[in-house]
């Protein structure tokens, strides 16, 4: 690759020190004052140039990880494949990476690739220029120099940024093979920035997507979270499907999407959940990955549940078995840490309780520590037409606003309704639904959820 180094002086670019976080500045100053080179790089520079707020700040330096560690008491060295330093300020982490260089002729303890060309160790240090060439896309290889506030560009990143283009640095085929996760990153940046992925960088994704199958499932899980919980999850999802990458990460979900059995509802519920997630992030609210994972695997879980029922298991037993089964199977594609898989199961298991509240059980459901997630899940299902239980949803919405005594009263009404309804439907197996009456809410007769 022909290298044309360009230096853009402070007067000719829009990145100002004021926009860089205090912690990132502290790290840059301390490295510089100790005599090292120190640059802001990656998303921090890219997003500031685009007038956006960076998610985090990454620093590049010629100081080796051990040298960085000796400068900062709050430093932790992480990563074997790619060793780097994390400088911790409470929850804020500044990532400091030492300039990387080419691998040719280096020992496998520092640089190693498997036979498919995938880099399994990348700890050869190099110069600033060499570092730029080892980054993924030109827009991610712009360096802000803390010494003179200039930006250094070796790969045409400024032009690509202006043209809204995502372009792999170097030979796209080799670079995707070195690290197939770059395909997911290309899609994520295209979605986040509303950029186009250029020529080969674009075409090769269709050809090389399958290489993701060799990536450790824990890393794929981390990328999945960045894709879906980054504030532009809906667009990421749509692009992942266009590039046929989604089916490699969530094959069971893709099968449910294409299964006419679900009547298009799998896609609907996923898109609605992602829209809600994006809106929540936009308004500064927190999101829990378990909720979205529970949405993604909801219909695949149902397919297993039906199989367990066919094998003679009772409805609830089948739900428990299917929840376990679907999570185990998904772990072959993306890992799911236990704290999330537990919560996914709790959300699923709560659904029958929410759909068929009884006098005895409703308060217990309400005080379940996962109630809010289970309830949101119920509302989501109702919104996309999977349930037609507006009044039931209203009942659950309503009861949360009541005093303890009023809540018990509402549950008692439920009990009365249930007795009447039992009498009315002696032999008919009834599913309950709440109906508003003049006196408030009470239980009425059998109206069933249209899907389960
Ligand atoms: P954001 O933080 O907004 O998700 P980012 O570009 O900062 O985007 P990071 O994952 O924080 O992404 O990585 C920081 C920088 O490190 C990137 O901009 C890129 O230069 C480099 N980088 C990260 N991952 C890779 C990779 N797999 N291959 C090559 N370079 C990478
Ligand atoms: Mg970053």
């Amino acid at each position: 690759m022909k290298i044309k180094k360009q230096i853009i002086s402070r007067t000719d670019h829009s990145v100002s020190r004021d926009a860089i976080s205090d912690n990132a500045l502290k790290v840059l100053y301390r490295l510089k004052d100790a005599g090292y080179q120190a640059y802001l790089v990656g998303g921090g520079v890219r997003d500031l140039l685009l007038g956006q707020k960076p998610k985090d700040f990454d620093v590049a330096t010629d100081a080796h990880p051990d040298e960085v560690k000796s400068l900062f008491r709050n430093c932790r060295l992480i990563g074997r494949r790619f060793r780097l330093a994390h400088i911790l300020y409470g929850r804020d982490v500044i990532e400091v990476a030492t300039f990387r260089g080419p691998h040719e002729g280096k020992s496998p303890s520092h640089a190693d690739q498997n036979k498919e060309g995938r880099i399994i160790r990348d700890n050869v240090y190099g110069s600033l220029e060499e570092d730029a060439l080892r980054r993924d896309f030109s827009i991610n290889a712009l360096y802000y120099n803390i010494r003179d506030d200039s930006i250094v560009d070796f790969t045409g990143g400024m032009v690509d940024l202006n043209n809204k283009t995502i372009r792999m640095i170097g030979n796209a085929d080799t670079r995707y093979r070195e690290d197939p996760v770059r395909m997911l990153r290309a899609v994520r940046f295209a979605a986040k920035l509303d950029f186009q992925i250029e020529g080969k960088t674009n075409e090769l994704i269709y050809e090389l997507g399958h290489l993701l199958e060799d990536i450790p499932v824990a890393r794929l899980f981390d990328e999945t979270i960045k894709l879906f919980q980054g504030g532009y999850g809906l667009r990421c999802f749509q692009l992942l499907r266009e590039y046929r990458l989604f089916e490699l990460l969530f094959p069971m979900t893709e099968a449910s999407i294409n299964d006419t059995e679900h009547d298009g509802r799998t896609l609907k519920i996923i898109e609605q959940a992602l829209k809600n997630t994006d809106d929540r992030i936009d308004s500064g609210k927190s999101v829990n990955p378990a909720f979205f994972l529970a949405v993604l695997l909801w219909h695949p879980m149902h397919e297993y549940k039906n199989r367990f029922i066919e094998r003679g298991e009772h409805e609830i037993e089948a739900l428990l078995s299917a929840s376990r089964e679907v999570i185990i199977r998904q772990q072959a594609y993306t890992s799911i840490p236990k704290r999330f898989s537990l919560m996914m199961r709790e959300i699923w298991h709560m659904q029958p309780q929410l759909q068929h509240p009884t006098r005895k059980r409703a308060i217990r459901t309400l005080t379940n520590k996962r109630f809010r997630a289970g309830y949101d899940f119920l509302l989501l299902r109702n919104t996309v037409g999977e349930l037609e239980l507006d009044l039931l949803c209203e009942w659950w919405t309503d009861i949360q606003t009541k005093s303890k005594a009023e809540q018990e009263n509402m549950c008692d009404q439920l009990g009365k309704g249930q007795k009447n309804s039992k009498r009315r439907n002696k032999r008919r197996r009834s599913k309950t639904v709440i109906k508003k009456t003049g006196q408030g809410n009470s239980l009425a007769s059998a109206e069933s959820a249209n899907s389960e």
Side-chain angles (χ1 to χ4, degrees):
M1 181 179 179
K2 250 205 249 135
I3 300 164
K4 243 186 18 225
K5 180 175 173 180
Q6 260 203 313
I7 296 181
I8 302 112
S9 62
R10 174 64 192 96
T11 46
D12 297 326
H13 68 74
S14 59
V15 178
S16 97
R17 272 187 200 208
D18 296 345
I20 303 172
S21 79
D22 289 347
N23 293 334
L25 285 174
K26 257 187 247 171
V27 172
L28 289 165
Y29 291 140
R30 178 128 7 131
L31 286 165
K32 172 180 82 98
D33 292 343
Y36 296 108
Q37 296 182 54
Y39 295 86
L40 196 66
V41 66
V45 183
R46 179 195 69 217
D47 294 351
L48 287 179
L49 283 168
L50 292 170
Q52 298 186 9
K53 190 173 180 313
K55 179 168 73 60
D56 51 34
F57 287 98
D58 307 293
V59 168
T61 179
D62 58 347
H64 285 200
D66 292 333
E67 294 170 327
V68 176
K69 189 163 173 55
S70 68
L71 280 181
F72 297 90
R73 266 194 309 158
N74 47 339
C75 171
R76 219 178 40 176
L77 298 185
I78 63 150
R80 268 159 52 87
R81 184 182 62 87
F82 192 95
R83 191 136 183 87
L84 46 81
H86 274 176
I87 318 291
L88 311 168
Y89 296 94
R91 298 185 75 178
D92 188 20
V93 179
I94 309 295
E95 206 162 87
V96 181
T98 308
F99 298 151
R100 291 311 196 259
H103 285 186
E104 287 80 37
K106 294 294 189 275
S107 92
S109 60
H110 293 99
D112 209 2
Q113 299 193 345
N114 68 6
K115 59 181 188 311
E116 282 82 35
R118 182 156 68 82
I119 292 180
I120 46 182
R121 187 149 302 157
D122 187 5
N123 290 317
V124 176
Y125 303 126
S127 65
L128 172 65
E129 186 171 319
E130 287 167 336
D131 187 73
L133 301 184
R134 302 213 52 78
R135 290 188 178 264
D136 47 7
F137 309 110
S138 61
I139 56 166
N140 286 347
L142 294 164
Y143 296 78
Y144 171 92
N145 189 348
I146 195 66
R147 268 179 211 280
D148 60 6
D149 302 309
S150 64
I151 288 178
V152 194
D153 177 6
F154 295 95
T155 61
M158 279 303 227
V159 173
D160 286 338
L161 205 65
N162 287 329
N163 292 336
K164 293 172 149 269
T165 296
I166 295 169
R167 183 194 311 276
M168 183 74 86
I169 297 169
N171 180 302
D173 187 273
T174 313
R175 304 297 318 282
Y176 277 141
R177 287 178 194 278
E178 279 176 3
D179 183 6
V181 169
R182 289 172 184 153
M183 291 183 261
L184 297 177
R185 290 175 59 85
V187 168
R188 179 155 66 85
F189 297 128
K192 168 174 162 151
L193 308 170
D194 195 17
F195 277 28
Q196 289 298 318
I197 308 176
E198 173 278 344
K200 282 273 175 231
T201 311
N202 181 55
E203 290 153 29
L204 283 164
I205 299 179
Y206 297 96
E207 214 173 289
L208 302 178
H210 65 95
L211 294 174
L212 286 173
E213 284 164 4
D214 299 329
I215 302 297
V217 290
R219 185 156 179 232
L220 290 180
F221 177 78
D222 292 345
E223 285 304 317
T224 300
I225 297 303
K226 289 185 198 162
L227 284 157
F228 295 131
Q229 313 270 290
Y232 34 87
L234 179 56
R235 188 72 194 122
C236 280
F237 171 68
Q238 288 163 339
L239 283 179
L240 284 175
R241 289 200 69 228
E242 274 174 44
Y243 282 104
R244 310 194 64 92
L245 296 176
F246 181 74
E247 65 201 50
L248 296 161
L249 297 171
F250 291 92
M252 293 183 290
T253 309
E254 180 65 28
S256 291
I257 291 173
N258 298 317
D259 187 345
T260 48
E261 181 88 351
H262 297 293
D263 212 12
R265 283 197 298 257
T266 311
L267 197 59
K268 251 193 198 163
I269 198 167
I270 294 171
E271 293 194 330
Q272 187 62 48
L274 284 169
K275 191 176 171 305
N276 296 351
T277 304
D278 292 348
D279 289 347
R280 280 184 71 89
I281 293 172
D282 195 40
S283 51
K285 292 186 190 150
S286 67
V287 290
N288 188 324
F291 186 86
F292 181 63
L293 291 167
V295 173
L296 277 183
L297 294 174
W298 173 239
H299 286 154
M301 189 277 288
H302 270 269
E303 284 160 30
Y304 281 104
K305 186 181 130 190
N306 291 338
R307 283 189 221 172
F308 283 111
I309 289 174
E310 276 165 28
R311 279 191 228 156
E313 285 193 18
H314 179 268
E315 180 100 14
I316 297 294
E317 198 188 341
L319 174 68
L320 300 181
S321 310
S323 309
R324 253 195 321 272
E325 182 77 23
V326 82
I327 287 171
I328 290 170
R329 286 180 185 262
Q330 179 57 35
Q331 311 254 18
Y333 305 97
T334 66
S335 66
I336 304 180
K338 196 149 192 174
R339 64 185 187 284
F340 298 139
S341 62
L342 277 176
M343 183 166 167
M344 292 163 69
R345 285 156 67 165
E346 285 168 323
I347 291 172
W348 291 337
H349 299 169
M350 217 186 289
Q351 296 309 300
Q353 299 168 25
L354 289 162
Q355 272 173 257
H356 314 297
T358 62
R359 186 165 66 100
K360 273 192 186 158
R361 217 174 38 194
I363 295 285
R364 219 172 43 218
T365 306
L366 198 59
T367 51
N368 184 320
K369 69 175 192 301
R370 298 291 182 216
F371 170 78
R372 186 69 210 195
Y375 158 80
D376 283 344
F377 199 86
L378 182 83
L379 295 194
L380 181 68
R381 293 172 62 207
N382 198 48
T383 309
V384 300
E386 181 172 312
L387 304 169
E388 278 165 13
L389 295 177
D390 290 355
L391 293 172
L392 176 80
C393 292
E394 276 172 33
W395 188 85
W396 280 113
T397 306
D398 206 25
I399 197 169
Q400 294 172 65
T401 64
K402 302 288 192 228
S403 70
K404 228 177 157 56
E406 286 170 325
Q407 287 181 344
E408 273 165 18
N409 191 29
M410 280 176 79
C411 293
D412 281 344
Q413 294 290 329
L414 212 52
K416 279 181 202 154
Q418 268 161 353
K419 272 182 207 149
N420 294 340
S421 136
K422 262 190 198 152
R423 242 174 265 135
R424 269 201 306 275
N425 305 293
K426 237 181 184 168
R427 275 199 293 276
R428 211 168 74 198
R429 191 174 160 262
S430 74
K431 290 189 177 177
T432 56
V433 74
I434 313 297
K435 207 176 199 175
K436 268 200 174 141
T437 68
Q439 293 83 41
N441 291 322
S442 79
L443 188 92
S445 68
E447 211 179 283
S448 70
N450 66 13
S451 148
E452 220 192 315

